[in-house]
Structure formats: structure tokens, C-alpha cells
Amino acid sequence: METRKKPKKAHAADAVTRPDEVMRATGWMVRFGSKQVLNGIDLVVNRNKVLALIGPSGCGKTTFLRSLNRLLELAPTAQHEGTIVLDDEDIYDADQDLNVLRRRVGMVFQQPNPFPMSIFDNVAFAIREQARRRPRPAAIAPRVEEVLRRAGLWDEVKDNLSRSAQSLSGGQQQRLCIARTLAADPEVILMDEPCSALDPRSTARIEETIRELRSDVSVVIVTHNMQQARRVSDQTGFFLNGDLVEYGDTERVFTAPTSKETADYVAGAFG
Ligand SMILES: Nc1ncnc2c1ncn2[C@@H]1O[C@H](COP(=O)(O)OP(=O)(O)OP(=O)(O)O)[C@@H](O)[C@H]1O
Ligand SMILES: [Mg+2]
């Protein structure tokens, strides 16, 4: 029996997502102790699009990203104000089930972190863990193949799925972690500098995967690589000192930014 109460719908008219939006932050403010690091962010994550978050070190990108699936709360001093909705539900509502939320809004970290087990078991583990009912053993292998295909890794590993995941290259490990996240059927995947530990070739392969994922999930990616933001994203948000200084279609942000700070940053003047 499902006893969980459904989280409340957000009340404020401006906090309600439209059909083409999957998440919306309104007046999102974060403080660590007495230090305010986000100053009231209004930002939309569009459905089936890739949103890049850029900005100099320490401006609050990771803090914002971690706000989107409540990983923020792992920091004991974190306080927040404002609203974040996912499909009209207030994700900070007291009735929100965190496990459900983090399945719907998955996270891929900077350092690939496969479990010390085989490629197959890494993905199968995630599938079993995320399933509401225990899946039949025969249902697992096809699902492993499906998510490895979506993560763009299948062709490279299909001949030896029992190999240790930790023997894969860094780029392959990162795609395995994307596959593990996909096993939960997320609506949104958050990625915090997912390519910073990878060589250019592996990076290009991950970028291809990100572009393909758009057909059924939305992606929010933090990156320090301007070319990468431009290549993979549909929208870009530029953060500076806790403010969202610029937000819009990526080509527009890079070619005709409205603020001087954005123009300087994308031109490589600071950061
Ligand atoms: N758990 C925490 N406790 C206290 N302060 C924190 C915590 N996490 C982040 N901060 C502070 O919040 C500010 C924003 O940090 P954040 O990690 O969001 O920046 P960022 O834009 O992701 O930077 P980078 O590009 O270096 O990853 C920084 O001043 C940081 O020191
Ligand atoms: Mg960061």
C-alpha cells in the first residue's frame, strides 16, 4: 500500500510550471550560516532541453544544482528561501519523498564513481534499487542493455559485461554512471562538471550522449568549458556572485549577451 501523501502543488502563480517547463526556481535564496551564496534565483529548466550553468568559481552553480534535488540539505548549515517546483509539485514540501525526488531528478558527479562490481551488476543494481517491485530476473538483462544503449556505452561493453566497471576508461565509467542514473527513469539529470576529469575524446563522446538524452530527459549541466556549453546546451544561465546575471538561448547568450559581465566572461576575460 502506498501511504505517502502527494506533495502539495505550489500555490504562487509564478511557481507553476508550464507544459514546456519541467522545473522552475522562484526567488531561490541559499545561505550557509551567515553567508548568502544565492540571492534569489528565478530560473526555468525546459523539458527535453539541455541547460548549461556557467560562471566563475564560487559563484553558486553547484549550490544551485544541488538545490534541484535537495542534496543541498546534506550541508548542515544550509538554509533556503523561495520555491522550486517539479511538474507543479513543490519539491521542498514536507510530504515530498526524497527517494522518489532523487529518482526523478538524478545526479551525475564530477568524478565517475562506479561500484566495485561488474559493468552488468552496476546497472542491474540500480535497476533493482529503483524498481517499486522486485523485477523478474529475466526482465533485468534487456533493461541493462536499454540503459547502456541510451548512455552510449553498449557497443563498447556488450562483449564483456562481466568485466569490472573499474577497469573501464574514465569516459566509459562516466557513461556507466549516466546509465545507472537512467535506470531510475529520471525526468531531469543534473551533471556537475561531468567531463572535467576526462580527455577531449571522452569528453566529445559524453557530449554526444548528452545531446541524445534530450529526446526523453532534461539535462542541467554545470561546466567551466565555454565551448562545451555552446556545443551541448539549448539554454545557458550565467551566474556571478550568487546572481543569475543572464539566461536565455545559448547562441544568443554567447553572441549577443545583454550584460557586460556575461560578454567579458564568455570572451574569457575572467573566471
Ligand atoms: N557546504 C557548504 N558550507 C559552507 N559554504 C559552502 C558550502 N558549499 C558551498 N559553500 C560556499 O558557497 C559558495 C558557492 O559555492 P559553489 O560550490 O556553489 O560554487 P561553484 O559556482 O560551484 O564553484 P566551482 O566552479 O568552483 O565549483 C562558495 O563561497 C562556497 O565556499
Ligand atoms: Mg561547483
Side-chain angles (χ1 to χ4, degrees):
M1 263 302 271
E2 183 77 79
T3 53
R4 172 178 89 87
K5 277 195 241 158
K6 216 173 153 48
K8 286 198 189 58
K9 292 204 166 192
H11 288 301
D14 62 355
V16 173
T17 51
R18 303 194 327 241
D20 54 343
E21 300 175 1
V22 63
M23 297 191 83
R24 174 186 279 264
T26 307
W28 189 250
M29 195 279 293
V30 174
R31 261 195 315 261
F32 292 109
S34 57
K35 186 179 175 201
Q36 182 154 329
V37 302
L38 290 176
N39 308 324
I41 303 295
D42 297 322
L43 178 152
V44 165
V45 181
N46 288 310
R47 206 178 288 283
N48 298 103
K49 301 283 183 200
V50 178
L51 168 63
L53 303 182
I54 61 170
S57 188
C59 66
K61 305 177 297 296
T62 294
T63 301
F64 183 76
L65 199 71
R66 293 166 68 88
S67 300
L68 295 176
N69 71 349
R70 294 182 57 173
L71 279 181
L72 174 71
E73 285 161 82
L74 297 180
T77 59
Q79 291 172 284
H80 53 81
E81 278 172 31
T83 323
I84 298 181
V85 295
L86 167 65
D87 296 328
D88 278 3
E89 280 178 19
D90 181 345
I91 67 166
Y92 283 82
D93 184 78
D95 291 328
Q96 184 71 55
D97 178 326
L98 284 186
N99 290 324
V100 172
L101 174 66
R102 289 177 189 153
R103 283 204 280 269
R104 294 175 67 193
V105 185
M107 177 78 104
V108 172
F109 297 91
Q110 191 166 359
Q111 286 293 338
N113 53 349
F115 305 132
M117 47 177 87
S118 71
I119 297 165
F120 184 92
D121 287 342
N122 260 272
V123 182
F125 181 89
I127 291 168
R128 284 192 206 96
E129 193 182 45
Q130 309 292 357
R132 276 179 204 98
R133 270 174 292 163
R134 181 164 258 282
R136 286 177 299 111
I140 291 191
R143 181 87 178 118
V144 168
E145 174 174 344
E146 184 199 327
V147 295
L148 284 171
R149 278 189 191 282
R150 284 175 66 199
L153 186 58
W154 176 251
D155 287 338
E156 288 158 61
V157 299
K158 64 182 178 202
D159 295 330
N160 196 354
L161 292 171
S162 57
R163 193 176 141 193
S164 159
Q166 288 168 331
S167 71
L168 294 170
S169 74
Q172 290 173 328
Q173 289 187 19
Q174 196 57 300
R175 278 178 281 147
L176 181 67
C177 293
I178 293 173
R180 243 172 30 191
T181 304
L182 287 170
D185 253 331
E187 287 168 70
V188 181
I189 300 186
L190 312 175
M191 300 187 180
D192 198 352
E193 304 188 51
C195 301
S196 62
L198 305 179
D199 64 60
R201 204 158 146 255
S202 306
T203 297
R205 191 62 197 81
I206 302 259
E207 290 179 6
E208 199 181 317
T209 294
I210 293 171
R211 283 192 298 266
E212 286 167 8
L213 287 176
R214 236 181 340 205
S215 61
D216 39 17
V217 295
S218 313
V219 177
V220 185
I221 176 172
V222 170
T223 178
H224 279 279
N225 180 330
M226 295 302 106
Q227 286 79 29
Q228 175 166 79
R230 214 166 161 176
R231 283 191 298 261
V232 299
S233 71
D234 302 289
Q235 279 80 42
T236 295
F238 172 54
F239 282 72
L240 186 63
N241 298 329
D243 290 312
L244 180 66
V245 170
E246 183 116 16
Y247 172 91
D249 286 344
T250 295
E251 263 323 285
R252 207 272 303 147
V253 169
F254 279 87
T255 57
T258 54
S259 91
K260 167 138 189 354
E261 287 102 332
T262 314
D264 288 347
Y265 185 76
V266 301
F270 67 98

